[in-house]
């Protein structure tokens, strides 16, 4: 996913700064249209619409956001907010990304509670849920595909899958046992 | 503040602090906590909330907003959402202060190679657990399967299979 970054100097080539309000509006505007994932919109906002970062910087941001815990879009909002507007910028970008969709989803949830008991709504939700599950499975399969030549990576995927689904192992145990083993395996193998 | 929401907020704070590979990787744990351990929601409701969150715009962590609402109304929704954001804000903001040092170091690659399969395993687990909760007859499995096929063989919007499935449900397919 990530490309080799040039030495850290890209950071000083910061195009400009942004006020918290600009960051809030920018992220809110893409959050409310980001059906099925906000990431493509984030790139468009940062690189093309506002020029808040270059394409290379965006790739760095993306790599860094995957390495940090939490949703990667959320991480990008905080990182770019911090760079362009300090702590206030971070908070504003994060609030813009999360608050409008949270309100929308509550309205949708309200409709579900009002009309969810109707047979037609029940079967609609049932069908959408089956499809939504398929979206996640497909995402996982797409992400496994580049790992197909690495027995190490496939073994980790299989172990995590079996532990989580088959044995319902709590995440904390997997983080303490499987993740370090996976990191060690990555350290000592080439593939 | 009553007890379930306090527990939920603490759990979400923990989950979003350790959610390597994106918030989606915490869904199996959120499901285990909310459905299996505490029984606040049943399997079907959890899966329906997840589907609503997927169909609505915004980052996919927004599912916690709905889980919070189910457990403690509007306050629950606000608290759960804030709990999901707070660790990310603290961690990502702190890291941004040291940004340039993190770009090119060798252990970053190792970390990436080690974390990626772990995260992918959890994403697949999320898919299996949600399928298990959502699909109960050949028709719903067919919807899950055709969504998977659509997403694997097409680069078009995930909203298309979701909308087709919802429409199929509305006219009584499942």
């Amino acid at each position: 996913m990530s490309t080799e970054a040039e030495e850290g100097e890209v950071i000083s080539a910061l195009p400009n700064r942004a006020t918290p309000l600009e960051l809030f509006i920018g992220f809110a505007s893409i959050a409310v249209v980001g059906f099925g994932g906000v990431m493509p919109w984030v790139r468009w906002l940062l690189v093309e619409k506002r020029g808040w970062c270059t394409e290379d910087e965006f790739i760095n941001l993306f790599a860094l956001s995957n390495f940090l815990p939490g949703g990667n879009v959320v991480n990008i909002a905080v990182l770019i907010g911090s760079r362009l507007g300090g702590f206030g910028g971070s908070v504003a970008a994060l609030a813009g990304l999360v608050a409008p969709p949270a309100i929308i989803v509550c309205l949708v949830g309200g409709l579900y509670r009002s009309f969810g008991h109707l047979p037609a709504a029940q079967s609609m939700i049932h069908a959408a849920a089956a499809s939504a599950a398929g979206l996640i499975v497909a995402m996982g399969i797409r992400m496994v595909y580049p790992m197909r030549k690495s027995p190490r990576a496939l073994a980790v995927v299989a172990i995590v899958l079996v532990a989580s689904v088959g044995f319902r192992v709590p995440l904390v145990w997997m983080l303490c046992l499987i993740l370090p083993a996976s990191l060690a395996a990555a350290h000592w193998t080439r593939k | 503040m009553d007890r379930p929401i306090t527990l939920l907020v603490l759990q979400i704070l923990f989950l979003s602090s350790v959610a390597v590979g994106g918030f989606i990787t915490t869904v199996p744990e959120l499901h285990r906590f909310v459905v299996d351990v505490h029984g606040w929601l049943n399997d079907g409701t959890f899966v329906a909330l997840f589907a609503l969150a997927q169909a609505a715009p915004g980052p996919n962590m927004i599912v916690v907003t709905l889980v919070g609402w189910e457990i403690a109304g509007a306050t629950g929704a606000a608290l759960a959402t804030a709990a999901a954001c707070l660790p990310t804000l603290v961690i990502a903001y702190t890291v941004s202060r040291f940004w340039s040092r993190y770009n090119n170091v060798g252990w970053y690659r190792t970390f990436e190679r080690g974390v990626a399969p772990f995260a992918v395993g959890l994403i697949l687990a999320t898919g299996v657990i949600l399928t298990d909760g959502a699909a109960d007859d050949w028709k719903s499995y067919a919807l899950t399967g055709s969504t998977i096929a659509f997403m694997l063989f097409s680069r078009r919007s995930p909203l298309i299979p979701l909308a087709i499935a919802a429409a199929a449900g509305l006219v009584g397919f499942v």
Side-chain angles (χ1 to χ4, degrees):
Chain A
M1 275 295 182
S2 61
T3 60
E4 291 297 330
E6 298 301 317
E7 275 309 311
E9 293 315 305
V10 253
I11 282 72
S12 58
L14 234 171
N16 49 31
R17 294 185 64 79
T19 66
L21 185 63
E22 286 170 331
L23 286 161
F24 181 88
I25 291 172
F27 277 92
S29 69
I30 56 166
V32 297
V33 295
F35 290 98
V38 192
M39 187 57 82
W41 292 93
V42 172
R43 200 203 68 85
W44 175 81
L45 173 80
L46 297 185
V47 179
E48 286 166 28
K49 183 151 180 260
R50 298 299 178 109
W52 280 339
C53 66
T54 65
E55 192 78 59
D56 279 350
E57 285 174 307
F58 182 77
I59 292 167
N60 277 340
L61 265 175
F62 182 79
L64 183 59
S65 75
N66 281 303
F67 152 93
L68 297 173
N72 48 21
V73 183
V74 185
N75 277 314
I76 287 186
V78 174
L79 291 168
I80 202 82
S82 160
R83 268 181 52 188
L84 299 176
F87 187 70
S90 279
V91 174
L94 180 60
L97 182 65
V98 172
I103 292 166
I104 291 172
V105 89
C106 286
L107 296 175
V108 174
L111 288 175
Y112 170 64
R113 272 178 291 274
S114 305
F115 301 106
H117 59 279
L118 300 176
Q122 282 283 332
S123 62
M124 188 170 98
I125 293 289
H126 184 181
S131 176
L135 293 180
I136 305 301
V137 175
M139 175 163 100
I141 294 173
R142 269 204 189 273
M143 293 175 82
V144 162
Y145 191 71
M147 299 175 183
R148 67 193 180 282
K149 288 184 178 147
S150 165
R152 169 193 62 85
L154 292 178
V156 174
V157 171
I159 290 167
V160 170
L161 186 57
V162 170
S164 180
V165 176
F167 299 97
R168 300 279 159 121
V169 174
L171 182 64
V172 63
W173 288 111
M174 294 199 273
L175 285 167
C176 292
L177 298 172
I178 303 176
L179 184 58
S182 175
L183 292 171
H187 183 70
W188 281 305
T189 58
R190 292 204 158 267
K191 275 194 167 181
Chain B
M1 203 190 320
D2 54 338
R3 208 163 147 268
I5 188 61
T6 313
L7 290 175
L8 180 72
V9 163
L10 291 175
Q11 177 72 358
I12 292 173
L13 280 172
F14 164 71
L15 288 179
S16 68
S17 312
V18 296
V20 277
F23 197 82
I24 189 87
T25 61
T26 66
V27 170
E29 182 69 7
L30 189 65
H31 176 275
R32 197 185 68 85
F33 189 76
V34 171
V35 178
D36 299 338
V37 176
H38 292 285
W40 293 325
L41 303 180
N42 64 40
D43 208 19
T45 308
F46 186 90
V47 171
L49 295 184
F50 188 83
L52 289 176
Q54 287 291 108
N60 56 20
M61 52 150 282
I62 224 76
V63 65
V64 304
T65 308
L66 285 175
V67 173
W69 187 301
E70 280 299 316
I71 289 171
T75 320
L79 287 174
T81 311
C85 291
L86 190 65
T88 302
L89 178 62
V90 172
I91 295 167
Y93 179 76
T94 309
V95 165
S96 76
R97 309 274 81 179
F98 305 96
W99 187 328
S100 52
R101 297 177 204 170
Y102 276 78
N103 274 342
N104 239 344
V105 280
W107 55 260
Y108 177 89
R109 290 247 157 240
T110 302
F111 191 90
E112 208 175 43
R113 289 171 59 240
V115 167
F118 184 79
V120 171
L122 288 171
I123 289 169
L124 283 171
T126 304
V128 173
I129 287 170
L130 291 172
T131 304
D132 195 38
D136 45 16
D137 58 1
W138 71 268
K139 286 175 178 171
S140 38
Y141 275 110
L143 287 175
T144 307
S146 41
T147 302
I148 295 172
F150 180 93
M151 294 310 292
L152 291 181
F153 297 113
S154 150
R155 293 261 172 202
R156 308 183 72 168
S157 166
L159 214 57
I160 295 172
L162 209 52
I164 291 173
L170 193 61
V171 299
F173 177 70
V174 289

